[in-house]
């Protein structure tokens, strides 16, 4: 997936309204942006809930159910959202009363850690005294390994610094995406509704340094300067972007 985080988002976060809270970790930040998005900076504990192996791979905390289930709009193969295959994030059970913002199960978010970005859905509610948690798949998609050496048990998450950009009620009028690829596709649509199209800010030299010789997307931008956004590129015949 192309990088979505930009100076535009940074400026929106800086101008956002800060929310007081007593969640752990205590340095966590919550801000409400002018466009209605919610910014959270916290850590990311690893959630195994929804995996058929949840109680084995996370014997202390693992549960078979997730808050999002078929009766609440989940359209996946199983009754609950599998933490091993679906990138999902977790919010505290009292998040609405603390933040004043109501998020719907299934809502999309852009999650960022050390330059890695992934789109995820809200699939589980957590304790009311802590913030910052994501599924096994989300942790892995951000480039971290939550497993022990034998990959039989979850032993770690991600330290403080994970950024969550949550889009409240983003699935109120659309079906909740139910696969990894669908979450990325629908999530990009939602992101554009909040922040517009993705515009590349790298110079041609920077893009050439970053891209390998098989990077079609960057090649197209470098060689077709009239096309400034992913939307423009996607409309070109026979051109796909990752």
């Amino acid at each position: 997936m192309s990088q979505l985080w930009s100076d535009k988002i940074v400026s929106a976060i800086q101008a956002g309204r800060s929310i007081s809270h007593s969640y752990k970790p205590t340095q966590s930040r919550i801000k409400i942006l002018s466009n209605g998005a919610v910014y959270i900076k916290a850590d990311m504990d690893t959630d195994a809930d929804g995996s058929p192996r949840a109680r084995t791979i996370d014997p202390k905390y693992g549960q078979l159910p997730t808050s999002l289930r078929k009766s609440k709009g989940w359209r996946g193969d199983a009754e609950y959202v599998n933490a091993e295959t679906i990138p999902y994030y977790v919010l505290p059970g009292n998040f609405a009363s603390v933040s004043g913002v109501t998020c719907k199960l299934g809502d999309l978010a852009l999650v960022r850690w050390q330059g890695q970005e992934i789109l995820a859905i809200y699939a589980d509610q957590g304790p009311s005294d802590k913030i910052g948690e994501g599924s096994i798949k989300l942790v892995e998609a951000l480039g971290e390994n939550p497993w022990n050496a034998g990959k039989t048990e979850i032993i770690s998450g991600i330290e403080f610094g994970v950024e969550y950009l949550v889009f409240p009620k983003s699935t109120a009028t659309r079906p909740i995406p139910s696969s990894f690829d669908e979450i990325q596709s629908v999530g990009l649509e939602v992101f554009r509704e909040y922040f517009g199209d993705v515009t590349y800010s790298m110079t041609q030299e920077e893009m050439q340094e970053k891209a390998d010789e098989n990077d079609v997307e960057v090649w197209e931008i470098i060689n077709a300067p009239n096309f400034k956004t992913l939307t423009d590129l996607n409309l070109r015949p026979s051109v796909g972007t990752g």
Side-chain angles (χ1 to χ4, degrees):
M1 185 182 75
S2 302
Q3 295 291 301
L4 300 179
W5 213 270
S6 65
D7 290 344
K8 182 178 182 180
I9 293 177
V10 173
S11 296
I13 293 169
Q14 290 174 342
R17 175 172 56 89
S18 296
I19 300 296
S20 299
H21 66 85
S22 57
Y23 294 129
K24 298 176 183 176
T26 56
Q27 68 267 46
S28 299
R29 295 169 57 202
I30 303 172
K31 301 190 85 171
I32 311 301
L33 279 54
S34 61
N35 62 5
V38 178
Y39 171 77
I40 301 167
K41 187 171 185 178
D43 58 2
M44 183 180 287
D45 296 334
T46 303
D47 191 343
D49 292 356
S51 166
R53 306 190 300 154
R55 291 172 179 163
T56 301
I57 59 179
D58 188 5
K60 188 174 182 180
Y61 298 111
Q63 301 181 58
L64 294 178
T66 51
S67 301
L68 179 59
R69 59 193 69 189
K70 285 192 180 294
S71 62
K72 295 186 178 181
W74 174 241
R75 300 179 301 119
D77 295 334
E79 178 70 19
Y80 305 108
V81 186
N82 189 342
E84 295 191 66
T85 60
I86 300 296
Y88 71 70
Y89 65 97
V90 180
L91 290 176
N94 62 349
F95 187 76
S97 61
V98 171
S99 67
V101 177
T102 300
C103 295
K104 178 180 179 291
L105 286 169
D107 280 346
L108 280 297
L110 176 63
V111 187
R112 182 175 185 248
W113 164 249
Q114 293 189 344
Q116 296 286 331
E117 298 176 0
I118 199 73
L119 289 148
I121 60 170
Y122 173 29
D124 214 9
Q125 291 183 338
S128 295
D129 62 344
K130 59 190 298 187
I131 194 168
E133 190 173 359
S135 68
I136 295 168
K137 187 64 176 180
L138 180 54
V139 172
E140 291 177 331
L142 291 171
E144 298 297 332
N145 177 21
W147 300 95
N148 62 1
K151 204 173 181 179
T152 58
E153 191 171 327
I154 297 300
I155 60 171
S156 65
I158 305 178
E159 64 187 9
F160 182 83
V162 181
E163 296 175 286
Y164 307 74
L165 193 58
V166 179
F167 307 118
K169 300 182 180 179
S170 50
T171 54
T173 58
R174 54 165 55 94
I176 298 169
S178 57
S179 69
F180 184 95
D181 289 342
E182 193 179 4
I183 290 168
Q184 305 317 301
S185 176
V186 175
L188 183 55
E189 292 176 7
V190 171
F191 176 87
R192 286 171 173 157
E193 291 173 3
Y194 277 80
F195 290 101
D197 278 318
V198 182
T199 302
Y200 285 82
S201 58
M202 289 188 291
T203 66
Q204 289 190 356
E205 291 76 14
E206 288 171 331
M207 285 190 287
Q208 286 171 325
E209 289 176 2
K210 184 173 183 179
D212 62 38
E213 61 183 2
N214 296 316
D215 197 325
V216 176
E217 179 180 325
V218 173
W219 187 92
E220 289 290 337
I221 297 170
I222 292 172
N223 291 279
N226 290 329
F227 296 88
K228 300 298 185 183
T229 70
L230 284 175
T231 299
D232 296 328
L233 287 169
N234 281 326
L235 291 175
R236 299 191 69 201
S238 304
V239 174
T241 59

